[in-house]
Amino acid sequence: MPSIQPDISIIIPTYNPGPLLQQALNSVWQQSFTNREVLVIDGGSTDGTAAFLKANQAQIDYWVSEPDSGIYDAMNKGVEKARGKWIYFLGSDDQLMPDVLTTIAAELQSTDRIVFGDVLFENGYRMKSFLGSRTWLQNTLHHQSAFYHRSLFSTFRYDTSLKIIADFELNLKVYAEQLPVRYIPVIVAACLTGGASGNLSLSLRETNTVRSRYLSGWWKKRGLSAFLWLYYAQKQLRFYMYGHRI
């Protein structure tokens, strides 16, 4: 492994990804920006992923295939091994946009804690990430749009008791503490729709759990919880009527 600290660590948590993992890795390997490292944290897949990783280990800086307790456990393991100045999490079923690392790397400044852009979903919807007052209501920053300064992880690890919203906690923590962040108007990654985050009931419960750790006042918590329930209810209705959640 090179002794020079890479600028960006790309962590790919995965479990039984099938051929999608190769597509995700190809989107990294094809980047013109090379001062990065790639870490694949596999949760003990049974679909031949370990054999694929071993066959391609010359292009992977670190990989492991062993049982874990879910995606956030895998992300924490990746953070422990990452050496980069900035940390980025790529879903094993998602892909970086062509040459986006070159664009982002030119914007990374040590004074920022998060630098982020947008993601493009397969249905054509472009989600513009942001951190603002609405972040108290729900997660407004897609983690596959975000590059996190490694200093954030000096005291923080993802809560593995949460199954789909643990990435919200770091974003909310950064916003609540008013740490410096910067938005770059570029699409960082192409992402599939659906997945675990589509479980609106669990999303509501875990969002309320995370919010309660950073927001004081019973009425504020109750009000935001009720408002989010209404938002999810109309989102669910729209899905039944029109066949999409976004």
Side-chain angles (χ1 to χ4, degrees):
M1 183 176 288
S3 59
I4 298 175
Q5 182 185 24
D7 285 336
I8 301 172
S9 294
I10 300 171
I11 299 171
I12 305 178
T14 188
Y15 180 70
N16 285 341
L20 293 176
L21 177 59
Q22 182 165 2
Q23 295 177 28
L25 283 166
N26 284 341
S27 77
V28 177
W29 294 334
Q30 292 166 5
Q31 298 286 316
S32 59
F33 181 80
T34 58
N35 191 16
R36 40 78 175 161
E37 65 175 2
V38 181
L39 304 92
V40 181
I41 313 299
D42 177 58
S45 291
T46 58
D47 63 351
T49 291
F52 168 77
L53 293 173
K54 186 174 182 179
N56 291 274
Q57 61 187 4
Q59 299 182 82
I60 302 171
D61 297 272
Y62 175 84
W63 69 272
V64 65
S65 182
E66 62 185 16
D68 58 38
S69 61
I71 185 172
Y72 297 112
D73 188 20
M75 289 166 68
N76 285 339
K77 288 181 179 181
V79 168
E80 293 290 341
K81 295 295 183 179
R83 301 181 303 117
K85 301 171 187 174
W86 293 83
I87 292 176
Y88 174 80
F89 300 99
L90 178 66
S92 60
D93 54 357
D94 303 317
Q95 300 177 47
L96 287 174
M97 299 301 286
D99 279 341
V100 70
L101 292 185
T102 297
T103 301
I104 292 294
E107 302 288 345
L108 297 177
Q109 299 178 12
S110 60
T111 52
D112 293 319
R113 299 301 92 175
I114 309 177
V115 174
F116 58 91
D118 304 335
V119 298
L120 181 67
F121 288 99
E122 61 180 332
N123 62 6
Y125 175 74
R126 177 171 176 168
M127 177 182 171
K128 183 176 180 179
S129 292
F130 65 94
L131 290 178
S133 57
R134 185 176 169 180
T135 307
W136 285 114
L137 176 67
Q138 63 178 152
N139 196 12
T140 57
L141 195 160
H142 198 292
H143 77 269
Q144 267 127 225
S145 75
F147 294 76
Y148 296 92
H149 195 276
R150 73 168 299 109
S151 63
L152 291 173
F153 297 96
S154 61
T155 57
F156 179 87
R157 289 295 184 272
Y158 293 103
D159 181 352
T160 57
S161 71
L162 302 173
K163 301 307 178 185
I164 61 174
I165 298 293
D167 51 305
F168 172 47
E169 180 165 14
L170 182 55
N171 299 334
L172 183 59
K173 175 180 169 64
V174 168
Y175 177 69
E177 296 178 2
Q178 290 295 286
L179 301 180
V181 302
R182 197 147 49 91
Y183 168 71
I184 309 299
V186 299
I187 298 174
V188 176
C191 301
L192 296 181
T193 56
S197 60
N199 185 332
L200 298 184
S201 177
L202 182 58
S203 178
L204 175 63
R205 186 163 63 251
E206 293 194 353
T207 298
N208 290 339
T209 295
V210 169
R211 188 193 305 114
S212 67
R213 297 171 181 173
Y214 298 89
L215 183 66
S216 60
W218 185 85
W219 283 108
K220 290 180 182 178
K221 296 177 183 178
R222 188 78 171 181
L224 286 171
S225 177
F227 193 88
L228 186 59
W229 183 89
L230 288 171
Y231 172 74
Y232 279 173
Q234 63 83 28
K235 193 174 183 179
Q236 187 71 51
L237 179 61
R238 205 165 64 237
F239 172 72
Y240 287 131
M241 293 177 64
Y242 304 112
H244 61 83
R245 293 190 187 277
I246 301 300

